[in-house]
CSV table of all heavy atoms in Angstrom, one decimal:
chain,number,residue,atom,x,y,z
G,27,MET,N,135.2,74.3,105.7
G,27,MET,CA,134.0,75.0,105.2
G,27,MET,C,133.1,73.9,104.5
G,27,MET,O,133.6,73.1,103.7
G,27,MET,CB,134.4,76.0,104.2
G,27,MET,CG,133.2,76.8,103.6
G,27,MET,SD,132.4,77.9,104.7
G,27,MET,CE,133.6,79.2,104.8
G,28,ASP,N,131.9,73.9,104.8
G,28,ASP,CA,130.9,73.0,104.2
G,28,ASP,C,130.7,73.4,102.7
G,28,ASP,O,130.9,74.5,102.3
G,28,ASP,CB,129.6,73.0,104.9
G,28,ASP,CG,129.7,72.5,106.3
G,28,ASP,OD1,130.5,71.7,106.5
G,28,ASP,OD2,128.9,72.9,107.1
G,29,GLU,N,130.4,72.4,101.9
G,29,GLU,CA,130.2,72.6,100.5
G,29,GLU,C,128.8,73.2,100.2
G,29,GLU,O,127.8,72.8,100.8
G,29,GLU,CB,130.3,71.3,99.7
G,29,GLU,CG,131.7,70.8,99.6
G,29,GLU,CD,132.5,71.6,98.6
G,29,GLU,OE1,132.0,71.9,97.5
G,29,GLU,OE2,133.7,71.9,98.9
G,30,LEU,N,128.8,74.1,99.3
G,30,LEU,CA,127.5,74.7,98.8
G,30,LEU,C,127.0,73.8,97.6
G,30,LEU,O,127.7,73.6,96.7
G,30,LEU,CB,127.7,76.1,98.4
G,30,LEU,CG,127.8,77.1,99.5
G,30,LEU,CD1,128.4,78.4,99.0
G,30,LEU,CD2,126.5,77.4,100.2
G,31,GLU,N,125.8,73.4,97.7
G,31,GLU,CA,125.1,72.7,96.6
G,31,GLU,C,124.9,73.6,95.4
G,31,GLU,O,124.9,74.9,95.6
G,31,GLU,CB,123.8,72.1,97.1
G,31,GLU,CG,123.9,71.2,98.2
G,31,GLU,CD,124.4,69.8,97.8
G,31,GLU,OE1,124.4,69.4,96.6
G,31,GLU,OE2,124.7,69.0,98.7
G,32,PHE,N,124.5,73.1,94.3
G,32,PHE,CA,124.1,73.9,93.1
G,32,PHE,C,122.8,74.6,93.5
G,32,PHE,O,122.1,74.2,94.4
G,32,PHE,CB,123.8,73.0,91.9
G,32,PHE,CG,125.0,72.4,91.2
G,32,PHE,CD1,126.2,72.3,91.9
G,32,PHE,CD2,125.0,72.1,89.9
G,32,PHE,CE1,127.4,71.8,91.3
G,32,PHE,CE2,126.1,71.6,89.2
G,32,PHE,CZ,127.3,71.5,89.9
G,33,CYS,N,122.6,75.7,92.8
G,33,CYS,CA,121.4,76.5,93.0
G,33,CYS,C,120.2,75.7,92.8
G,33,CYS,O,120.0,75.0,91.8
G,33,CYS,CB,121.4,77.7,92.1
G,33,CYS,SG,119.9,78.7,92.2
G,34,PRO,N,119.2,75.7,93.8
G,34,PRO,CA,118.0,74.9,93.6
G,34,PRO,C,117.0,75.4,92.6
G,34,PRO,O,116.1,74.8,92.2
G,34,PRO,CB,117.4,74.9,95.0
G,34,PRO,CG,117.9,76.1,95.6
G,34,PRO,CD,119.3,76.3,95.1
G,35,VAL,N,117.3,76.7,92.2
G,35,VAL,CA,116.3,77.3,91.2
G,35,VAL,C,116.9,77.2,89.8
G,35,VAL,O,116.2,76.8,88.9
G,35,VAL,CB,116.1,78.8,91.6
G,35,VAL,CG1,115.2,79.5,90.6
G,35,VAL,CG2,115.4,78.9,93.0
G,36,CYS,N,118.1,77.7,89.6
G,36,CYS,CA,118.7,77.7,88.2
G,36,CYS,C,119.6,76.5,87.9
G,36,CYS,O,120.1,76.3,86.8
G,36,CYS,CB,119.3,79.0,87.9
G,36,CYS,SG,120.8,79.4,88.7
G,37,HIS,N,120.0,75.8,89.0
G,37,HIS,CA,120.8,74.6,88.9
G,37,HIS,C,122.2,74.9,88.4
G,37,HIS,O,122.9,74.1,87.8
G,37,HIS,CB,120.2,73.5,88.0
G,37,HIS,CG,118.8,73.2,88.5
G,37,HIS,ND1,118.5,72.5,89.7
G,37,HIS,CD2,117.6,73.5,88.0
G,37,HIS,CE1,117.2,72.4,89.8
G,37,HIS,NE2,116.6,73.0,88.8
G,38,GLU,N,122.7,76.1,88.7
G,38,GLU,CA,124.1,76.5,88.3
G,38,GLU,C,125.0,76.3,89.6
G,38,GLU,O,124.5,76.4,90.7
G,38,GLU,CB,124.2,77.9,87.9
G,38,GLU,CG,123.4,78.2,86.6
G,38,GLU,CD,124.1,77.7,85.4
G,38,GLU,OE1,125.3,77.4,85.4
G,38,GLU,OE2,123.5,77.7,84.3
G,39,ASP,N,126.2,76.0,89.4
G,39,ASP,CA,127.2,75.9,90.5
G,39,ASP,C,127.7,77.3,90.8
G,39,ASP,O,128.9,77.7,90.5
G,39,ASP,CB,128.3,75.0,90.1
G,39,ASP,CG,129.3,74.8,91.3
G,39,ASP,OD1,128.9,75.1,92.4
G,39,ASP,OD2,130.4,74.2,91.0
G,40,SER,N,126.8,78.2,91.3
G,40,SER,CA,127.1,79.6,91.3
G,40,SER,C,126.8,80.2,92.7
G,40,SER,O,126.8,81.5,92.8
G,40,SER,CB,126.2,80.3,90.3
G,40,SER,OG,124.9,79.9,90.6
G,41,ALA,N,126.7,79.4,93.7
G,41,ALA,CA,126.4,80.0,95.1
G,41,ALA,C,127.6,80.5,95.8
G,41,ALA,O,128.7,79.8,95.7
G,41,ALA,CB,125.7,78.9,95.9
G,42,ILE,N,127.5,81.6,96.4
G,42,ILE,CA,128.6,82.2,97.2
G,42,ILE,C,128.0,82.7,98.6
G,42,ILE,O,126.8,82.9,98.7
G,42,ILE,CB,129.3,83.4,96.5
G,42,ILE,CG1,128.2,84.5,96.2
G,42,ILE,CG2,130.0,82.9,95.3
G,42,ILE,CD1,128.9,85.8,95.8
G,43,ILE,N,128.9,82.7,99.6
G,43,ILE,CA,128.5,83.3,100.8
G,43,ILE,C,128.8,84.8,100.8
G,43,ILE,O,129.9,85.3,100.5
G,43,ILE,CB,129.3,82.7,102.0
G,43,ILE,CG1,129.0,81.2,102.1
G,43,ILE,CG2,129.0,83.4,103.3
G,43,ILE,CD1,129.7,80.5,103.2
G,44,GLU,N,127.8,85.6,101.1
G,44,GLU,CA,127.9,87.0,101.1
G,44,GLU,C,127.8,87.5,102.5
G,44,GLU,O,127.1,87.0,103.4
G,44,GLU,CB,126.7,87.6,100.4
G,44,GLU,CG,126.7,87.4,98.9
G,44,GLU,CD,127.5,88.5,98.1
G,44,GLU,OE1,128.4,89.1,98.7
G,44,GLU,OE2,127.2,88.6,96.9
G,45,GLU,N,128.5,88.6,102.8
G,45,GLU,CA,128.4,89.3,104.1
G,45,GLU,C,127.7,90.6,103.9
G,45,GLU,O,127.9,91.3,102.9
G,45,GLU,CB,129.8,89.6,104.6
G,45,GLU,CG,130.4,88.5,105.4
G,45,GLU,CD,131.8,89.0,106.0
G,45,GLU,OE1,131.7,89.8,106.8
G,45,GLU,OE2,132.8,88.4,105.5
G,46,GLU,N,126.9,91.0,104.8
G,46,GLU,CA,126.1,92.2,104.7
G,46,GLU,C,126.4,93.1,105.9
G,46,GLU,O,126.1,92.8,107.0
G,46,GLU,CB,124.6,91.9,104.7
G,46,GLU,CG,123.7,93.0,104.6
G,46,GLU,CD,123.7,93.6,103.2
G,46,GLU,OE1,123.9,92.9,102.2
G,46,GLU,OE2,123.4,94.8,103.0
G,47,GLY,N,127.2,94.1,105.6
G,47,GLY,CA,127.4,95.2,106.6
G,47,GLY,C,128.1,94.7,107.9
G,47,GLY,O,128.0,95.4,108.9
G,48,GLY,N,128.8,93.6,107.9
G,48,GLY,CA,129.5,93.2,109.1
G,48,GLY,C,128.6,92.6,110.2
G,48,GLY,O,129.1,92.5,111.3
G,49,TRP,N,127.4,92.3,109.9
G,49,TRP,CA,126.5,91.8,111.0
G,49,TRP,C,125.7,90.6,110.6
G,49,TRP,O,125.1,89.9,111.4
G,49,TRP,CB,125.6,92.9,111.6
G,49,TRP,CG,124.6,93.4,110.5
G,49,TRP,CD1,124.9,94.5,109.7
G,49,TRP,CD2,123.3,93.0,110.2
G,49,TRP,NE1,123.8,94.7,108.9
G,49,TRP,CE2,122.8,93.8,109.2
G,49,TRP,CE3,122.5,92.0,110.7
G,49,TRP,CZ2,121.6,93.6,108.6
G,49,TRP,CZ3,121.2,91.8,110.2
G,49,TRP,CH2,120.8,92.6,109.2
G,50,CYS,N,125.7,90.2,109.3
G,50,CYS,CA,125.0,89.0,108.9
G,50,CYS,C,125.6,88.4,107.7
G,50,CYS,O,126.3,89.1,106.9
G,50,CYS,CB,123.5,89.3,108.8
G,50,CYS,SG,123.1,90.1,107.2
G,51,VAL,N,125.3,87.2,107.5
G,51,VAL,CA,125.7,86.4,106.3
G,51,VAL,C,124.6,85.8,105.6
G,51,VAL,O,123.5,85.5,106.3
G,51,VAL,CB,126.8,85.4,106.6
G,51,VAL,CG1,128.1,86.1,107.0
G,51,VAL,CG2,126.3,84.4,107.7
G,52,TYR,N,124.7,85.5,104.3
G,52,TYR,CA,123.7,84.7,103.6
G,52,TYR,C,124.3,84.1,102.4
G,52,TYR,O,125.4,84.5,102.0
G,52,TYR,CB,122.5,85.6,103.2
G,52,TYR,CG,122.8,86.8,102.3
G,52,TYR,CD1,122.6,86.7,101.0
G,52,TYR,CD2,123.4,87.9,102.9
G,52,TYR,CE1,122.9,87.8,100.2
G,52,TYR,CE2,123.7,89.0,102.1
G,52,TYR,CZ,123.4,89.0,100.7
G,52,TYR,OH,123.7,90.0,99.9
G,53,VAL,N,123.7,83.1,101.8
G,53,VAL,CA,124.2,82.5,100.6
G,53,VAL,C,123.3,83.0,99.4
G,53,VAL,O,122.1,83.1,99.6
G,53,VAL,CB,124.0,80.9,100.7
G,53,VAL,CG1,124.4,80.3,99.3
G,53,VAL,CG2,124.9,80.4,101.8
G,54,GLN,N,124.0,83.4,98.4
G,54,GLN,CA,123.3,83.9,97.2
G,54,GLN,C,123.8,83.3,95.9
G,54,GLN,O,125.0,83.0,95.8
G,54,GLN,CB,123.5,85.4,97.1
G,54,GLN,CG,122.7,86.0,96.0
G,54,GLN,CD,122.6,87.5,96.0
G,54,GLN,OE1,123.6,88.2,96.4
G,54,GLN,NE2,121.4,88.1,95.8
G,55,CYS,N,122.9,83.0,95.0
G,55,CYS,CA,123.3,82.6,93.6
G,55,CYS,C,123.7,83.8,92.8
G,55,CYS,O,122.9,84.7,92.7
G,55,CYS,CB,122.1,81.9,93.0
G,55,CYS,SG,122.4,81.5,91.3
G,56,THR,N,124.8,83.7,92.2
G,56,THR,CA,125.3,84.9,91.4
G,56,THR,C,124.7,85.0,90.1
G,56,THR,O,124.8,85.9,89.4
G,56,THR,CB,126.8,84.8,91.3
G,56,THR,OG1,127.2,83.6,90.6
G,56,THR,CG2,127.6,85.0,92.6
G,57,VAL,N,123.9,83.9,89.7
G,57,VAL,CA,123.3,83.9,88.4
G,57,VAL,C,121.9,84.4,88.5
G,57,VAL,O,121.5,85.3,87.7
G,57,VAL,CB,123.3,82.4,87.8
G,57,VAL,CG1,122.5,82.4,86.5
G,57,VAL,CG2,124.7,82.0,87.5
G,58,CYS,N,121.1,83.8,89.4
G,58,CYS,CA,119.6,84.2,89.4
G,58,CYS,C,119.2,85.0,90.6
G,58,CYS,O,118.1,85.5,90.6
G,58,CYS,CB,118.8,83.0,89.3
G,58,CYS,SG,118.8,81.9,90.7
G,59,GLY,N,120.1,85.2,91.5
G,59,GLY,CA,119.8,86.1,92.7
G,59,GLY,C,119.1,85.4,93.8
G,59,GLY,O,118.8,86.1,94.8
G,60,THR,N,118.8,84.2,93.7
G,60,THR,CA,118.1,83.4,94.8
G,60,THR,C,119.0,83.5,96.0
G,60,THR,O,120.2,83.4,95.9
G,60,THR,CB,117.8,82.0,94.3
G,60,THR,OG1,116.9,82.0,93.3
G,60,THR,CG2,117.3,81.2,95.5
G,61,HIS,N,118.4,83.6,97.2
G,61,HIS,CA,119.3,83.7,98.4
G,61,HIS,C,118.6,83.1,99.6
G,61,HIS,O,117.3,82.9,99.5
G,61,HIS,CB,119.6,85.2,98.7
G,61,HIS,CG,118.4,86.1,98.8
G,61,HIS,ND1,117.9,86.3,100.1
G,61,HIS,CD2,117.7,86.8,97.9
G,61,HIS,CE1,116.8,87.1,99.9
G,61,HIS,NE2,116.7,87.4,98.6
G,62,THR,N,119.3,82.9,100.6
G,62,THR,CA,118.7,82.4,101.9
G,62,THR,C,118.4,83.6,102.7
G,62,THR,O,118.7,84.8,102.3
G,62,THR,CB,119.8,81.6,102.7
G,62,THR,OG1,120.8,82.5,103.1
G,62,THR,CG2,120.3,80.4,101.9
G,63,SER,N,117.7,83.4,103.8
G,63,SER,CA,117.4,84.5,104.7
G,63,SER,C,118.8,84.9,105.3
G,63,SER,O,119.8,84.2,105.3
G,63,SER,CB,116.4,84.1,105.8
G,63,SER,OG,116.8,82.9,106.4
G,64,PHE,N,118.8,86.1,105.9
G,64,PHE,CA,120.0,86.6,106.5
G,64,PHE,C,120.2,86.0,107.9
G,64,PHE,O,119.2,85.9,108.6
G,64,PHE,CB,120.0,88.2,106.7
G,64,PHE,CG,120.0,88.9,105.4
G,64,PHE,CD1,120.0,88.3,104.1
G,64,PHE,CD2,120.1,90.3,105.4
G,64,PHE,CE1,120.0,89.0,103.0
G,64,PHE,CE2,120.1,91.1,104.2
G,64,PHE,CZ,120.1,90.4,103.0
G,65,ILE,N,121.4,85.6,108.2
G,65,ILE,CA,121.7,85.0,109.5
G,65,ILE,C,122.6,86.0,110.3
G,65,ILE,O,123.7,86.3,109.9
G,65,ILE,CB,122.4,83.7,109.5
G,65,ILE,CG1,121.7,82.7,108.5
G,65,ILE,CG2,122.6,83.1,110.9
G,65,ILE,CD1,120.3,82.2,109.0
G,66,ARG,N,122.1,86.6,111.3
G,66,ARG,CA,122.8,87.6,112.1
G,66,ARG,C,123.8,87.0,113.0
G,66,ARG,O,123.7,85.9,113.5
G,66,ARG,CB,121.7,88.3,113.0
G,66,ARG,CG,122.3,89.6,113.6
G,66,ARG,CD,121.4,90.2,114.6
G,66,ARG,NE,122.1,91.2,115.3
G,66,ARG,CZ,122.0,92.5,115.0
G,66,ARG,NH1,121.2,92.9,114.1
G,66,ARG,NH2,122.8,93.4,115.6
G,67,TYR,N,124.9,87.7,113.2
G,67,TYR,CA,125.9,87.3,114.1
G,67,TYR,C,126.5,88.5,114.9
G,67,TYR,O,126.4,89.6,114.4
G,67,TYR,CB,127.1,86.5,113.5
G,67,TYR,CG,127.9,87.4,112.5
G,67,TYR,CD1,128.9,88.2,112.9
G,67,TYR,CD2,127.5,87.3,111.1
G,67,TYR,CE1,129.6,88.9,111.9
G,67,TYR,CE2,128.2,88.1,110.2
G,67,TYR,CZ,129.3,88.9,110.6
G,67,TYR,OH,130.0,89.6,109.7
G,68,ASP,N,127.0,88.3,116.1
G,68,ASP,CA,127.5,89.4,116.9
G,68,ASP,C,129.0,89.2,117.3
G,68,ASP,O,129.5,90.1,117.9
G,68,ASP,CB,126.7,89.4,118.2
G,68,ASP,CG,125.2,89.8,118.0
G,68,ASP,OD1,125.0,90.8,117.2
G,68,ASP,OD2,124.3,89.2,118.5
G,69,SER,N,129.6,88.1,116.8
G,69,SER,CA,131.0,87.9,117.1
G,69,SER,C,131.6,87.0,116.0
G,69,SER,O,130.9,86.4,115.3
G,69,SER,CB,131.2,87.3,118.5
G,69,SER,OG,130.7,86.0,118.5
G,70,GLU,N,132.9,86.9,116.0
G,70,GLU,CA,133.6,86.1,115.0
G,70,GLU,C,133.2,84.6,115.2
G,70,GLU,O,133.0,83.9,114.2
G,70,GLU,CB,135.1,86.2,115.1
G,70,GLU,CG,135.6,87.5,114.5
G,70,GLU,CD,135.3,87.6,113.0
G,70,GLU,OE1,135.6,86.7,112.3
G,70,GLU,OE2,134.8,88.7,112.6
G,71,GLU,N,133.0,84.2,116.4
G,71,GLU,CA,132.6,82.8,116.7
G,71,GLU,C,131.2,82.6,116.1
G,71,GLU,O,130.9,81.6,115.5
G,71,GLU,CB,132.6,82.5,118.2
G,71,GLU,CG,134.0,82.3,118.7
G,71,GLU,CD,134.0,82.1,120.2
G,71,GLU,OE1,132.9,81.9,120.8
G,71,GLU,OE2,135.1,82.3,120.8
G,72,GLU,N,130.3,83.5,116.4
G,72,GLU,CA,128.9,83.4,115.9
G,72,GLU,C,128.9,83.5,114.4
G,72,GLU,O,128.0,82.9,113.7
G,72,GLU,CB,128.1,84.5,116.5
G,72,GLU,CG,127.6,84.2,117.9
G,72,GLU,CD,126.6,85.3,118.4
G,72,GLU,OE1,125.9,85.8,117.6
G,72,GLU,OE2,126.6,85.5,119.6
G,73,LYS,N,129.8,84.2,113.8
G,73,LYS,CA,129.9,84.3,112.4
G,73,LYS,C,130.1,83.0,111.7
G,73,LYS,O,129.5,82.6,110.7
G,73,LYS,CB,131.0,85.3,111.9
G,73,LYS,CG,131.0,85.5,110.5
G,73,LYS,CD,132.2,86.5,110.1
G,73,LYS,CE,132.3,86.6,108.6
G,73,LYS,NZ,133.5,87.4,108.2
G,74,ALA,N,131.0,82.2,112.2
G,74,ALA,CA,131.3,80.9,111.7
G,74,ALA,C,130.1,80.0,111.8
G,74,ALA,O,129.7,79.3,110.9
G,74,ALA,CB,132.5,80.2,112.4
G,75,ASP,N,129.4,80.1,112.9
G,75,ASP,CA,128.1,79.4,113.1
G,75,ASP,C,127.0,79.9,112.1
G,75,ASP,O,126.3,79.1,111.6
G,75,ASP,CB,127.7,79.6,114.5
G,75,ASP,CG,126.7,78.5,115.0
G,75,ASP,OD1,127.0,77.3,114.7
G,75,ASP,OD2,125.7,78.8,115.6
G,76,ALA,N,127.0,81.2,111.9
G,76,ALA,CA,126.0,81.7,111.0
G,76,ALA,C,126.2,81.3,109.6
G,76,ALA,O,125.3,81.0,108.9
G,76,ALA,CB,126.0,83.3,111.1
G,77,GLU,N,127.5,81.2,109.2
G,77,GLU,CA,127.8,80.7,107.9
G,77,GLU,C,127.4,79.3,107.7
G,77,GLU,O,126.8,78.9,106.7
G,77,GLU,CB,129.3,80.8,107.6
G,77,GLU,CG,129.8,82.2,107.4
G,77,GLU,CD,131.3,82.3,107.1
G,77,GLU,OE1,132.0,81.3,107.2
G,77,GLU,OE2,131.7,83.4,106.8
G,78,LYS,N,127.6,78.4,108.7
G,78,LYS,CA,127.2,77.0,108.6
G,78,LYS,C,125.6,77.0,108.5
G,78,LYS,O,125.1,76.1,107.7
G,78,LYS,CB,127.6,76.3,109.9
G,78,LYS,CG,129.0,75.8,109.9
G,78,LYS,CD,129.3,74.9,111.1
G,78,LYS,CE,130.8,74.7,111.2
G,78,LYS,NZ,131.1,74.1,112.5
G,79,LYS,N,124.9,77.8,109.2
G,79,LYS,CA,123.5,77.8,109.2
G,79,LYS,C,123.0,78.2,107.8
G,79,LYS,O,122.0,77.6,107.3
G,79,LYS,CB,122.9,78.8,110.2
G,79,LYS,CG,122.8,78.2,111.6
G,79,LYS,CD,122.2,79.2,112.6
G,79,LYS,CE,122.3,78.7,114.0
G,79,LYS,NZ,122.1,79.8,115.0
G,80,CYS,N,123.5,79.2,107.2
G,80,CYS,CA,123.0,79.6,105.9
G,80,CYS,C,123.4,78.6,104.8
G,80,CYS,O,122.7,78.4,103.9
G,80,CYS,CB,123.4,81.1,105.6
G,80,CYS,SG,125.1,81.5,105.3
G,81,ILE,N,124.6,78.0,105.0
G,81,ILE,CA,124.9,76.9,104.0
G,81,ILE,C,123.9,75.8,104.2
G,81,ILE,O,123.5,75.2,103.1
G,81,ILE,CB,126.4,76.4,104.3
G,81,ILE,CG1,127.4,77.4,103.9
G,81,ILE,CG2,126.6,75.1,103.6
G,81,ILE,CD1,128.8,77.2,104.5
G,82,HIS,N,123.6,75.4,105.4
G,82,HIS,CA,122.6,74.4,105.6
G,82,HIS,C,121.2,74.7,105.0
G,82,HIS,O,120.6,73.9,104.3
G,82,HIS,CB,122.4,74.1,107.1
G,82,HIS,CG,121.5,73.0,107.5
G,82,HIS,ND1,121.9,71.7,107.1
G,82,HIS,CD2,120.3,72.9,108.1
G,82,HIS,CE1,120.9,70.9,107.6
G,82,HIS,NE2,119.9,71.6,108.1
G,83,LEU,N,120.8,76.0,105.2
G,83,LEU,CA,119.5,76.4,104.6
G,83,LEU,C,119.6,76.3,103.1
G,83,LEU,O,118.6,75.8,102.5
G,83,LEU,CB,119.3,77.9,105.0
G,83,LEU,CG,118.8,78.2,106.4
G,83,LEU,CD1,118.7,79.7,106.6
G,83,LEU,CD2,117.5,77.6,106.7
G,84,TRP,N,120.7,76.7,102.5
G,84,TRP,CA,120.8,76.6,101.1
G,84,TRP,C,120.7,75.2,100.6
G,84,TRP,O,120.0,74.9,99.6
G,84,TRP,CB,122.2,77.3,100.7
G,84,TRP,CG,122.4,77.2,99.2
G,84,TRP,CD1,123.1,76.3,98.5
G,84,TRP,CD2,122.0,78.2,98.2
G,84,TRP,NE1,123.2,76.6,97.2
G,84,TRP,CE2,122.4,77.7,97.0
G,84,TRP,CE3,121.2,79.3,98.3
G,84,TRP,CZ2,122.2,78.4,95.8
G,84,TRP,CZ3,120.9,80.0,97.1
G,84,TRP,CH2,121.4,79.6,95.9
G,85,ASN,N,121.5,74.3,101.2
G,85,ASN,CA,121.5,72.9,100.8
G,85,ASN,C,120.2,72.2,101.0
G,85,ASN,O,119.9,71.2,100.3
G,85,ASN,CB,122.7,72.2,101.5
G,85,ASN,CG,124.1,72.7,101.0
G,85,ASN,OD1,124.2,73.4,100.0
G,85,ASN,ND2,125.1,72.3,101.8
G,86,MET,N,119.4,72.7,102.0
G,86,MET,CA,118.1,72.1,102.2
G,86,MET,C,117.1,72.7,101.2
G,86,MET,O,115.9,72.2,101.1
G,86,MET,CB,117.6,72.5,103.6
G,86,MET,CG,118.4,71.8,104.7
G,86,MET,SD,117.8,70.1,105.0
G,86,MET,CE,116.2,70.4,105.7
G,87,GLY,N,117.5,73.7,100.4
G,87,GLY,CA,116.5,74.3,99.5
G,87,GLY,C,115.6,75.3,100.1
G,87,GLY,O,114.6,75.7,99.5
G,88,LYS,N,115.9,75.8,101.3
G,88,LYS,CA,115.1,76.8,102.0
G,88,LYS,C,115.7,78.1,101.5
G,88,LYS,O,116.4,78.8,102.2
G,88,LYS,CB,115.2,76.6,103.5
G,88,LYS,CG,114.5,75.4,104.0
G,88,LYS,CD,114.5,75.3,105.5
G,88,LYS,CE,113.8,74.1,106.0
G,88,LYS,NZ,112.4,73.9,105.7
G,89,VAL,N,115.2,78.5,100.4
G,89,VAL,CA,115.7,79.8,99.7
G,89,VAL,C,114.6,80.7,99.3
G,89,VAL,O,113.4,80.3,99.3
G,89,VAL,CB,116.6,79.4,98.5
G,89,VAL,CG1,117.8,78.6,98.9
G,89,VAL,CG2,115.8,78.7,97.5
G,90,ILE,N,115.0,81.9,99.1
G,90,ILE,CA,114.0,82.9,98.7
G,90,ILE,C,114.3,83.3,97.2
G,90,ILE,O,115.4,83.7,96.9
G,90,ILE,CB,114.1,84.2,99.6
G,90,ILE,CG1,113.8,83.8,101.0
G,90,ILE,CG2,113.2,85.3,99.1
G,90,ILE,CD1,114.4,84.8,102.0
G,91,ARG,N,113.4,83.1,96.3
G,91,ARG,CA,113.6,83.5,94.9
G,91,ARG,C,113.5,85.0,94.8
G,91,ARG,O,112.7,85.6,95.3
G,91,ARG,CB,112.5,82.8,94.1
G,91,ARG,CG,112.7,81.3,94.0
G,91,ARG,CD,111.5,80.8,93.1
G,91,ARG,NE,111.6,79.4,93.2
G,91,ARG,CZ,111.4,78.6,92.1
G,91,ARG,NH1,111.3,79.1,90.9
G,91,ARG,NH2,111.4,77.3,92.2
G,92,GLU,N,114.5,85.5,94.0
G,92,GLU,CA,114.5,86.9,93.7
G,92,GLU,C,113.3,87.2,92.8
G,92,GLU,O,113.0,86.5,91.8
G,92,GLU,CB,115.8,87.3,93.0
G,92,GLU,CG,116.0,88.7,92.8
G,92,GLU,CD,116.2,89.5,94.1
G,92,GLU,OE1,116.6,88.9,95.1
G,92,GLU,OE2,115.9,90.7,94.1
G,93,GLN,N,112.5,88.2,93.2
G,93,GLN,CA,111.3,88.6,92.4
G,93,GLN,C,111.8,89.5,91.3
G,93,GLN,O,112.4,90.6,91.6
G,93,GLN,CB,110.3,89.3,93.3
G,93,GLN,CG,109.8,88.5,94.5
G,93,GLN,CD,108.9,87.3,94.0
G,93,GLN,OE1,108.3,87.4,93.0
G,93,GLN,NE2,108.8,86.3,94.8
G,94,ARG,N,111.5,89.2,90.1
G,94,ARG,CA,112.0,90.0,89.0
G,94,ARG,C,110.8,90.7,88.4
G,94,ARG,O,109.8,90.1,88.1
G,94,ARG,CB,112.7,89.2,88.0
G,94,ARG,CG,114.1,88.7,88.5
G,94,ARG,CD,114.9,88.2,87.4
G,94,ARG,NE,116.2,87.9,87.9
G,94,ARG,CZ,117.1,87.1,87.2
G,94,ARG,NH1,116.8,86.6,86.1
G,94,ARG,NH2,118.3,86.8,87.7
G,95,ALA,N,110.9,92.0,88.2
G,95,ALA,CA,109.9,92.7,87.4
G,95,ALA,C,109.9,92.3,86.0
G,95,ALA,O,111.0,92.2,85.4
G,95,ALA,CB,110.1,94.2,87.6
G,96,GLU,N,108.7,92.1,85.4
G,96,GLU,CA,108.7,91.7,84.0
G,96,GLU,C,108.8,92.9,83.1
G,96,GLU,O,108.4,94.0,83.5
G,96,GLU,CB,107.3,91.0,83.7
G,96,GLU,CG,107.2,89.7,84.4
G,96,GLU,CD,108.2,88.6,83.9
G,96,GLU,OE1,108.4,88.7,82.6
G,96,GLU,OE2,108.7,87.8,84.6
A,103,ZN,ZN1,120.4,80.4,90.7
């Protein structure tokens, strides 16, 4: 498994890989809620590839900041 970098927004070592409904994965910060886009997969092989892709997105800083209501 590739390493997840610290969160690019809050700089905490708090990123985890999340699974959504058995069809996609994404990386999310458990502190501030920043996340990558969802990467869809259709099989176990594709799932491993999808995890690598979202880890790469995260480490590149291609993330979506959680919009918080004030
Ligand atoms: Zn964060």
